[in-house]
Amino acid sequence: MVLIIKKITSIVAGKTLTKKGLASGIEKIVPVVGGVTSGSITMIGMEMSGKKLNSELLKGFEQNYSERDYEKDIKIIEAEII
C-alpha cells in the first residue's frame, strides 16, 4: 500500500514520499475520516429513530384524535397567541 502511494505521489508531485511525510499526511486524514464515519452513523440512527417516531405519532393521531378535539386545540392555541 505504501509503495502504491509513493508511486502515485512521485508521479503527481514529482518527488518521493518519505515515511515522515506519509505519517504527517495520515495524521491529517484520520480526524476527517473519523468525523465522516461518526456523522454517518449518527445520521443513519437519527433517520431510523425519526421514522419510527413519526409512524408511532401517526398511529396515535389516527386512533385517538377526533375532529372535535382538533378544533378545541386550535381554539386554545389561537387564544394563547392573541
Side-chain angles (χ1 to χ4, degrees):
M1 173 99 174
V2 175
L3 295 175
I4 295 171
I5 294 173
K6 282 185 177 182
K7 186 67 175 173
I8 292 171
T9 305
S10 67
I11 292 170
V12 173
K15 60 181 181 179
T16 59
L17 184 63
T18 63
K19 287 184 181 180
K20 184 178 180 183
L22 180 60
S24 173
I26 290 175
E27 286 176 359
K28 293 177 184 176
I29 292 173
V30 168
V32 174
V33 172
V36 170
T37 304
S38 175
S40 299
I41 291 170
T42 301
M43 184 188 78
I44 291 167
M46 292 295 271
E47 186 175 352
M48 290 169 51
S49 297
K51 286 180 181 178
K52 187 180 282 188
L53 175 62
N54 190 34
S55 99
E56 291 299 318
L57 289 173
L58 285 174
K59 284 180 191 175
F61 181 76
E62 292 168 352
Q63 294 172 359
N64 302 322
Y65 202 67
S66 68
E67 185 71 29
R68 184 175 169 192
D69 292 332
Y70 173 76
E71 290 172 5
K72 182 179 168 185
D73 287 343
I74 291 296
K75 286 180 184 177
I76 292 170
I77 291 169
E78 287 175 348
E80 289 178 1
I81 292 174
I82 297 174

